[in-house]
Amino acid sequence: MLVYLRLLKESFSFAINALRTNKLRTFLSLLGVTVGIFSIIAVLAAVDSLDKTIQGQLSSLDSNTMYLANMSFGPTDVPRWQRETFDEVSYNEYKTIKSSIADAEHVALQLFVKRENIRYESELVSSVNTVVVSHEFIDIQVMEFEKGRFYNESESNAGRPVVVIGSEISKSLFGELEPIGKKVRLYGQKFTVIGVVKKEGSGLFGDSNDVSIFLPANYVRNRYGDNNPFMKYIVIIKPEKDADIEGVKAEITQVMRNKRGLKPDEIDTFFISVISGLQDVIDTIIGSLNLIGWVISGFSLLVGGFGIANIMFVSVKERTNLIGIQKSLGAKNKFILFQFLFEAVILAVVGGLVGLFLVWIGTIIGSNLTEDFEFVLSPQNMALGFFISSIIGLISGVIPALTASRLDPVEAIRTGM
């Protein structure tokens, strides 16, 4: 064991010597490993950070939450021209689903409408993300409140002019004033502010709650009617905790087919999208991004590997005389082999550590530049970077090390003189 520790120490000394003696050559050779490790770990760190942020966004929803609409939120085999002929989900269908599906814990209605301007006295916020939903929405999507509350069933059913606003909207309209109870103007009418949503940061799937307002669905229905072509209806269903998801989906399908009078040979004219299905799509995208990062970075690592091999061949040539002397003094082939292998690994690891350091600096800078997005360099990715650089060094150093270990001691001494 002591022999190998001494061997490791000597190899480290030789590697440092190579770095000091041939600075430019070493720098150019290690640059490939540094760039390769930087590319791979930077991509993995960015994708991990993106995945973490997406999971945080989706954590407010149960993975079994379903969306019933005339459009699909995921891949579908139904051609676009056919999808465009499907009827919008109606208010009556929402009521039917709500009363018919036994395993549905909560059923909410959401109307997609155009953005609106919201005004308080002389302050105006233009083109605000307007979320028009029934009162059950708060039972499906987790929302924390800075002040006030969400509208209740009575206010929702009656379509009362009440509004819940995001933290950024509150700040823009009221500044330091107390927003609860204030009257704001929307749709040419006064709305009473009853709640302010707690700040959550930017959203990856559209506008975040910080820059959104929430209105009772029935207010918009009563104002514009159910057949307005500029409104899109979606029914959100949250199944009971222990419900059979496929069973619930099949039950909703049957209810909708009966409601629409579809014949057995006709396809569904609606889509039921499940959050878990969206998660699968996201996982596929994340996997593709990782694969692209590996492919691109692989070329840099290949160049870096050749650079390390070049250094090691030069190192063998420069130390031929020393190898001959070591062998004449009794050094075994295995000792010479490991000496050069260790040196190659150490050189590659140095390049890898520089790459990891650059990624770490990049994550700090990136996190500081983006207020609501945090870049994360996980210990797993750091360990992976260290492992990959070690493997590159090992592979690159095998042939030079074998060449050195097989030198004839007499010829080596004579060549080196």
Side-chain angles (χ1 to χ4, degrees):
M1 186 64 181
L2 290 174
V3 172
Y4 287 104
L5 286 175
R6 185 165 60 84
L7 178 59
L8 183 61
K9 181 182 176 183
E10 287 180 6
S11 299
F12 184 75
S13 298
F14 282 125
I16 296 300
N17 248 357
L19 287 171
R20 287 176 179 170
T21 308
N22 306 288
K23 294 183 178 66
L24 182 59
R25 184 184 72 191
T26 304
F27 170 76
L28 293 174
S29 299
L30 294 186
L31 191 59
V33 175
T34 299
V35 171
I37 295 298
F38 173 82
S39 302
I40 288 178
I41 304 306
V43 169
L44 293 180
V47 171
D48 283 353
S49 302
L50 179 63
D51 191 33
K52 181 181 177 182
T53 303
I54 291 174
Q55 298 305 330
Q57 296 282 334
L58 293 178
S59 64
S60 62
L61 288 170
D62 189 298
S63 63
N64 294 324
T65 300
M66 302 177 182
Y67 291 86
L68 171 65
N70 71 336
M71 60 180 182
S72 175
F73 291 95
T76 176
D77 296 328
V78 181
R80 181 176 178 180
W81 67 265
Q82 195 168 16
R83 297 198 304 266
E84 290 176 348
T85 65
F86 293 170
D87 292 333
E88 291 281 352
V89 175
S90 68
Y91 180 75
N92 287 334
E93 287 170 337
Y94 151 69
K95 297 296 286 185
T96 301
I97 294 293
K98 186 176 174 66
S99 60
S100 303
I101 308 302
D103 286 333
E105 183 179 2
H106 298 291
V107 180
L109 177 68
Q110 180 168 2
L111 277 61
F112 282 87
V113 299
K114 67 183 182 70
R115 292 170 175 265
E116 291 294 330
N117 300 334
I118 183 170
R119 179 187 296 274
Y120 173 70
E121 295 181 348
S122 62
E123 300 297 332
L124 172 70
V125 181
S126 302
S127 191
V128 176
N129 182 45
T130 307
V131 184
V132 179
V133 287
S134 59
H135 64 280
E136 300 97 342
F137 185 77
I138 191 65
D139 297 313
I140 297 175
Q141 179 168 317
V142 177
M143 292 171 63
E144 296 183 39
F145 287 84
E146 188 179 302
K147 296 177 181 178
R149 59 178 176 83
F150 204 73
Y151 40 84
N152 56 38
E153 183 176 1
S154 174
E155 293 166 331
S156 177
N157 291 339
R160 297 276 174 78
V162 292
V163 62
V164 175
I165 61 178
S167 61
E168 291 298 322
I169 302 296
S170 175
K171 184 178 178 181
S172 299
L173 291 178
F174 305 109
E176 299 300 322
L177 296 177
E178 172 58 53
I180 304 301
K182 293 289 192 301
K183 303 287 186 179
V184 296
R185 291 195 72 83
L186 278 165
Y187 297 105
Q189 183 177 345
K190 289 185 176 180
F191 280 69
T192 303
V193 178
I194 61 171
V196 178
V197 182
K198 188 176 180 181
K199 184 175 177 62
E200 64 172 22
S202 61
L204 292 176
F205 306 104
D207 296 305
S208 76
N209 289 340
D210 298 347
V211 292
S212 302
I213 59 174
F214 299 81
L215 308 176
N218 278 354
Y219 172 84
V220 178
R221 284 187 58 250
N222 294 340
R223 184 179 178 88
Y224 294 108
D226 286 324
N227 298 317
N228 191 305
F230 300 104
M231 294 192 304
K232 180 173 288 293
Y233 284 65
I234 289 181
V235 177
I236 310 172
I237 304 107
K238 180 182 179 181
E240 295 282 356
K241 187 175 182 181
D242 299 322
D244 176 16
I245 304 306
E246 289 303 316
V248 174
K249 193 174 178 179
E251 190 178 357
I252 295 171
T253 300
Q254 192 58 50
V255 168
M256 285 295 294
R257 289 186 65 86
N258 291 339
K259 185 74 176 174
R260 296 193 169 189
L262 297 175
K263 297 176 183 178
D265 60 339
E266 292 180 311
I267 67 168
D268 295 337
T269 57
F270 52 87
F271 294 96
I272 303 171
S273 305
V274 186
I275 287 290
S276 57
L278 176 60
Q279 180 65 61
D280 292 338
V281 173
I282 291 171
D283 289 342
T284 301
I285 294 172
I286 294 294
S288 299
L289 290 174
N290 278 330
L291 178 60
I292 292 170
W294 277 96
V295 170
I296 294 173
S297 306
F299 289 106
S300 296
L301 285 175
L302 189 63
V303 172
F306 283 127
I308 296 293
N310 176 60
I311 285 181
M312 294 314 300
F313 275 119
V314 172
S315 183
V316 170
K317 185 174 179 62
E318 289 176 345
R319 286 155 47 191
T320 300
N321 182 261
L322 180 60
I323 294 169
I325 293 172
Q326 286 180 320
K327 282 198 164 190
S328 66
L329 293 175
K332 296 182 179 179
N333 288 353
K334 184 170 67 173
F335 182 87
I336 303 297
L337 175 72
F338 281 123
Q339 186 181 69
F340 281 91
L341 273 182
F342 281 148
E343 185 174 338
V345 170
I346 290 168
L347 288 170
V349 167
V350 169
L353 290 177
V354 173
L356 286 174
F357 176 74
L358 293 176
V359 175
W360 177 67
I361 294 296
T363 59
I364 294 175
I365 295 173
S367 297
N368 289 332
L369 291 177
T370 54
E371 180 181 351
D372 300 316
F373 190 90
E374 182 184 2
F375 288 89
V376 179
L377 178 58
S378 67
Q380 292 86 349
N381 283 338
M382 293 181 70
L384 180 63
F386 185 84
F387 175 74
I388 292 173
S389 57
S390 300
I391 293 299
I392 292 296
L394 193 63
I395 294 173
S396 302
V398 165
I399 295 178
L402 283 172
T403 302
S405 66
R406 291 171 180 173
L407 287 174
D408 179 82
V410 176
E411 286 296 322
I413 294 172
R414 184 182 300 152
T415 304
M417 293 177 66

